[in-house]
Every structure is written in structure tokens, then in C-alpha cells.
Amino acid sequence: MTTEAVKNALRRQEIELPSWAFGNSGTRFKVFPQPGVPRSPEEKLADAAVVHKLTGVAPSVALHIPWDKVDDYAKLAAYAKEQGVRLGAINSNVFQDNDYMLGSVTNPDPRVRRKATDHLLECVDIMDATGSRDLKLWFSDGTNYPGQDDIRDRQDRLAEALKEVYDRLGDDQRMLLEYKLFEPAFYTTDVPDWGTSYAHCLELGPKATVCIDTGHHAPGTNIEFIVAFLLRVGKLGAFDFNSRFYADDDLMVGAADPFQLFRIMNEIIRADALDPDRGIAFMLDQCHNIEPKIPAIIRSVMNVQEATAKALLVDRDALREAQQEGDVLGANAALMDAYNTDVRPLLADLRSEQGLDPNPIAAYQRSGYFEQIAHDRADGQQAGWGA
Ligand code: PSV
Ligand code: MN
């Protein structure tokens, strides 16, 4: 690919920001509040708009309900537009109500299942108002002890709830089914892996696709294999990007393993699936517990851009030729040459051509925005991860 073609592809790239990454977050040990943290969904959108203004590639913001509950979602969408961003995926939350201790849609109690499914349906109503395409579902449902509940019955309950929500989706709406190996459930999780998610999505139909959260796998899992497999069968809908060293760490994407991020983006480019028209949502799902949030999100966006640029630089003809000739080292070298290219000058050029500062983090630090929000948001209740 020529440098111009690489730049053109990068110009069209879109990365979706999670509203909750701008709020306070932490571990079960402590949440350290930070100055300037938003106190409302509107302030989260304002911060996200700053990230988009400085990077040019983050035009949409995912909401989490009820963390971002407002009275008028159409008004919130209009506010987002004024700020220069749009509302993206609606994330449901059936993991923080006392009723969900033994599960939400898979709970043995039909009253609790009804309540959880009603919340998911309410999220689709919200999508109607915001114009969002995607409903993202993550279930913390599972059990802690062998024998606690019937594993197979729980799959039936899950399938029933998913079907009801699927049938409620409009023609242009989709369901993204996220999986996670463990936590908070420690024995069985009802959607623990991509195979389970894929099987449910297949049964549901074309509007249901898998969401890969990069932090939700067992150590050593080959995530790019999952990406390649799901792309081949048209069932990859989205990513929740973040980094993990140990479990679901939710650190900045590209921080723990930039090479893995490159290998994932390499499969995306291999399948020609980068362009927003191809329908894959590239979202971040991160928590900035100790680092300042806005520059951390800018850094994350830049990490995704860098991995993408490297993947675009892979000499596909040379790679294909080496693969077909069984040239193991040559094929590997084609990938490694691209990975080892310093793409920062190319991205700096691109930003200059787009009228952006070549160094978005330095531009943020010079902007005075942090000082402004730290001052303006000194009072009131800061937004948090719901804890
Ligand atoms: C669960 O760990 C998860 O990845 C889901 O996407 C939730 O909606 C999100 O984290 C909340 O940060
Ligand atoms: Mn996630």
C-alpha cells in the first residue's frame, strides 16, 4: 500500500470512546477521585469531544445505562452533536442491582429475569431516541459453586431473554453480545467465551454479533485467531479495546501488548474490515484509575492508530507469496518489518494535513482544558463507575 493509501484508510478510521472512562473508577480496594471529573453525561460528552477535536478519529461516544441516565435522550443526542460528536453504542447494565446477586436474565427467579429483560428493552427504547445502532450486552451472570444452579437451564433462560430483545430491535439496530471468562462469577459464567457468544448470535440471526473485549480471555489466548474466525463468518460486530496484564485490568489499549494489538489489526486489514462502512465498531472500554483520564484516552486512541498504521503497512503481496511458497521466515519477516516501522512521523504528518496538532497530548496539555474543568467542576457529585 502506498503512503497515500495508508493515510486515506487512517483518515476514515473511527474509534468509539466509552463515557465511563471519563468518570472515576478504581478497584474494590479504593477509588481515587480525580480533579475535573465530569458530574453529568453532558460533561462526559464535552470531554470526549475534546479527545475527538485533538485526534480527529473519535467521533462517537458509547453510553452506559443507568450511569448515563437522562430524562431526554434526544436532547442528549442533540447536545452531543453541538459538541461535535455523536452517541454510539448503548451499554446495558444488569450487574449492579441487588436483585442480580444470583444472575439477571439467567436468574432462577422469573421476576428477576423479567426485570433484567425489561431493562434491556428499555435500552432499545433509548437507542430509538439517540439514533444508536448498537446495543451492547454483557452479563455478569454465573455461579460460584458446583451445583449452585443448573448450567443448562441457565443457557435456556439466556436464550429466551436474548430472543425477546432481538425481536424488539429495529431494522437498522444490532445486538453485540460480549463474553468474559470469569468475574464476578468464579465457577461458571453464562457467556464465558466467544464460542458461547457466537452460538447464541447464530441462533438469533444476522442482527446479533460478537463483541470481543480484549481483556476477557484466559492468559495466552490467541485473540487474533478469534478475530479472523469471526470475520470469516461475518459475526464480528465490535471490540472493547483495553489492555490486561493479569485479568480484566482495563488498562490503556496497547499498553500491555502493542504487538497483540498489531496482530489483531492485521486481521482486520486482511479482511478489509477497517472502514466504518464495514460495520465493525472499534470501541474502547477502559478505566483510568491512577492516570489522568483525558490524556490517557488520547494515548489509547493514538495506540490504536499506530497499530492500525503498522497493519496497513504490511506488504500483503510479499506476505501472500511467502506464505504460498512455504517461506516461514519470509512470511514472518513481512509482518515484523511492518510492526517494527516507526509510524509516528506518518501519523504526525497526517494530523498536520488534517489541520490537527501533530502531538495531540502536548496540544491537550497546552490547551488549559484541564485547569478549566478542575476549576469549574470543583463542586457536586463526580460521575463514577456506579460504585
Ligand atoms: C465488563 O467487564 C465490561 O467489559 C462490560 O463491557 C461492561 O459494560 C464494562 O466492562 C463496564 O466497564
Ligand atoms: Mn467490555
Side-chain angles (χ1 to χ4, degrees), residues 347-373:
L347 284 163
D349 272 2
L350 176 66
R351 291 188 191 108
S352 299
E353 287 165 22
Q354 291 174 305
L356 302 169
D357 192 293
N359 183 341
I361 292 186
Y364 173 73
Q365 268 146 4
R366 277 197 317 269
S367 71
Y369 186 78
F370 173 69
E371 291 74 10
Q372 184 71 46
I373 56 175

Side-chain angles (χ1 to χ4, degrees), residues 71-251:
D71 290 335
D72 187 339
Y73 288 97
K75 201 167 146 202
L76 190 68
Y79 177 79
K81 198 169 169 200
E82 262 169 48
Q83 297 293 308
V85 290
R86 62 171 192 273
L87 301 182
I90 300 298
N91 286 252
S92 57
N93 185 325
V94 282
F95 51 91
Q96 285 184 312
D97 190 287
N98 288 341
D99 273 343
Y100 300 143
M101 186 172 77
L102 300 181
S104 64
V105 294
T106 67
N107 195 297
D109 181 344
R111 182 192 64 82
V112 178
R113 296 208 292 276
R114 187 66 258 155
K115 173 174 167 169
T117 307
D118 283 345
H119 169 73
L120 306 183
L121 295 170
E122 180 201 348
C123 287
V124 185
D125 293 340
I126 293 171
M127 292 162 69
D128 290 341
T130 56
S132 298
R133 178 190 59 182
D134 294 336
L135 170 68
K136 179 138 68 68
L137 305 177
W138 172 67
F139 299 103
S140 59
D141 297 40
T143 65
N144 274 7
Y145 293 99
Q148 179 191 319
D149 195 7
D150 189 88
I151 294 173
R152 184 167 155 175
D153 282 352
R154 291 178 77 92
Q155 286 300 309
D156 290 339
R157 296 172 200 148
L158 172 67
E160 193 183 317
L162 290 176
K163 170 90 172 74
E164 188 177 340
V165 178
Y166 185 89
D167 288 343
R168 163 68 183 83
L169 293 174
D171 290 344
D172 298 324
Q173 293 175 334
R174 309 188 305 178
M175 175 187 279
L176 305 172
L177 183 55
E178 182 175 351
Y179 57 91
K180 178 172 169 175
L181 180 59
F182 81 103
E183 197 210 17
F186 292 122
Y187 168 55
T188 58
T189 294
D190 296 319
V191 190
D193 53 28
W194 69 272
T196 309
S197 173
Y198 172 59
H200 280 282
C201 288
L202 212 52
E203 198 176 312
L204 288 163
K207 288 189 265 180
T209 53
V210 179
C211 173
I212 300 179
D213 184 311
T214 46
H216 289 183
H217 305 88
T221 300
N222 184 326
I223 299 177
E224 62 269 26
F225 171 82
I226 303 169
V227 174
F229 182 95
L230 291 175
L231 282 169
R232 178 177 173 272
V233 293
K235 278 294 188 191
L236 178 60
F239 287 96
D240 266 5
F241 277 137
N242 52 59
S243 281
R244 72 191 287 274
F245 284 99
Y246 298 102
D248 188 19
D249 305 347
D250 279 339
L251 299 173

Side-chain angles (χ1 to χ4, degrees), residues 25-85:
S25 61
T27 66
R28 61 195 160 122
F29 300 101
K30 171 73 181 162
V31 175
F32 296 100
Q34 293 189 17
V37 158
R39 297 158 302 173
S40 64
E42 287 81 2
E43 289 181 352
K44 295 178 196 172
L45 290 172
D47 289 2
V50 168
V51 175
H52 180 47
K53 224 170 280 165
L54 292 167
T55 62
V57 282
S60 62
V61 187
L63 300 184
H64 217 296
I65 309 297
W67 300 340
D68 296 313
K69 211 172 168 73
V70 291
D71 290 335
D72 187 339
Y73 288 97
K75 201 167 146 202
L76 190 68
Y79 177 79
K81 198 169 169 200
E82 262 169 48
Q83 297 293 308
V85 290

